[in-house]
Amino acid sequence: MNKFFYSYDDIHRAIAVLADKIRHSGQNFDLMLAIGGGGLIPARILRSFLNIPVYSVTLAYYDAEDRPTDCPHKVQWLDESMAAKLRGKRVLVVDEVDDSRVTLAYCLNELKATGIDQLGVAVLHEKQKTKQAELPPGLPYFSAITVGEDWIVYPWDATDIDAHNRDITAQQHERTTQ
Ligand code: G4P
Ligand code: MG
């Protein structure tokens, strides 16, 4: 699978675009719920544009060897006092990538089951592919960038950010000389 490397600056610019789409939609949200890990940094950047608080849950679908597990599982979820705070609020669920949709759909279903049902979704990357789960019809949905099936390498996955940035430079060089 091809890889596509993104810098923090690319991410920030994409989130500015995402914020514009949300603002121009006329939809208003009271707060964001980031799906960690990947949704945490996008949600924090989005907060600079939308000025609404960020809450979070952590779900994991891929294991340590990057293989999908049977079902997403809750690493950290809302306790009852947090759920009570979110009921009746318009919640924008934020994640980095809409890939198979399994994690997103799982999260939305679990929120609904908790009585949190005024929901929207914002993702940085929307992969154009056959989805393995459906989002509720009519759900407000926003994505910054539509991409193919390449594996996206996010800067926060790097353990050596300088090597990551060198990969970006090499990628840009490859694309301009193609
Ligand atoms: P979806 O519902 O949002 O479409 O996600 P899906 O269940 O298909 O898979 C989610 C997991 O797959 C996430 O990891 C996400 O980070 C990872 N993933 C999917 N495509 C890509 C990609 O192109 N690049 C990277 N880096 N990750 C991708 P997770 O288990 O939720 O872990 P976390 O990294 O969010 O903590
Ligand atoms: Mg994720």
Side-chain angles (χ1 to χ4, degrees), residues 35-39 59 95-97 103:
I35 305 181
L59 301 175
D95 209 349
E96 88 280 39
V97 58
T103 303

Short mmCIF file of all heavy atoms in Angstrom, two decimals, residues 35-39 59 95-97 103, ligand 2:
data_model
loop_
_atom_site.label_atom_id
_atom_site.label_comp_id
_atom_site.label_asym_id
_atom_site.label_seq_id
_atom_site.Cartn_x
_atom_site.Cartn_y
_atom_site.Cartn_z
N ILE A 35 -12.45 11.28 19.44
CA ILE A 35 -12.17 9.85 19.58
C ILE A 35 -10.65 9.68 19.58
O ILE A 35 -9.99 9.88 18.56
CB ILE A 35 -12.79 9.01 18.44
CG1 ILE A 35 -14.30 9.27 18.31
CG2 ILE A 35 -12.51 7.52 18.70
CD1 ILE A 35 -14.97 8.45 17.21
N GLY A 36 -10.13 9.35 20.77
CA GLY A 36 -8.69 9.16 20.88
C GLY A 36 -8.30 7.77 20.45
O GLY A 36 -9.15 6.88 20.42
N GLY A 37 -7.04 7.58 20.11
CA GLY A 37 -6.02 8.59 20.03
C GLY A 37 -6.07 9.55 18.86
O GLY A 37 -5.79 10.75 19.01
N GLY A 38 -6.42 9.09 17.65
CA GLY A 38 -6.23 9.92 16.45
C GLY A 38 -7.03 11.21 16.43
O GLY A 38 -6.62 12.17 15.78
N GLY A 39 -8.16 11.26 17.13
CA GLY A 39 -9.01 12.45 17.06
C GLY A 39 -8.60 13.55 18.02
O GLY A 39 -9.12 14.67 17.94
N LEU A 59 -11.09 4.86 21.87
CA LEU A 59 -11.48 3.58 21.30
C LEU A 59 -10.29 3.04 20.53
O LEU A 59 -9.51 3.81 19.97
CB LEU A 59 -12.67 3.74 20.35
CG LEU A 59 -13.94 4.34 20.95
CD1 LEU A 59 -14.98 4.57 19.87
CD2 LEU A 59 -14.50 3.43 22.03
N ASP A 95 -12.80 12.73 14.68
CA ASP A 95 -11.78 11.70 14.53
C ASP A 95 -10.85 12.08 13.38
O ASP A 95 -11.15 12.98 12.59
CB ASP A 95 -12.43 10.33 14.27
CG ASP A 95 -11.57 9.18 14.80
OD1 ASP A 95 -10.41 9.41 15.17
OD2 ASP A 95 -12.07 8.05 14.82
N GLU A 96 -9.71 11.38 13.30
CA GLU A 96 -8.76 11.77 12.25
C GLU A 96 -9.16 11.20 10.90
O GLU A 96 -8.99 11.85 9.88
CB GLU A 96 -7.32 11.40 12.65
CG GLU A 96 -6.81 10.02 12.29
CD GLU A 96 -7.27 8.92 13.23
OE1 GLU A 96 -8.43 8.93 13.70
OE2 GLU A 96 -6.46 8.00 13.48
N VAL A 97 -9.71 9.98 10.88
CA VAL A 97 -9.95 9.35 9.57
C VAL A 97 -11.24 8.54 9.58
O VAL A 97 -11.54 7.82 10.53
CB VAL A 97 -8.72 8.49 9.14
CG1 VAL A 97 -8.38 7.41 10.15
CG2 VAL A 97 -8.90 7.88 7.75
N THR A 103 -15.33 1.99 13.59
CA THR A 103 -15.13 2.68 14.88
C THR A 103 -16.11 3.84 15.04
O THR A 103 -16.72 4.01 16.10
CB THR A 103 -13.68 3.21 15.00
OG1 THR A 103 -12.79 2.10 14.83
CG2 THR A 103 -13.44 3.88 16.32
MG MG B 2 -8.71 6.88 15.36
#
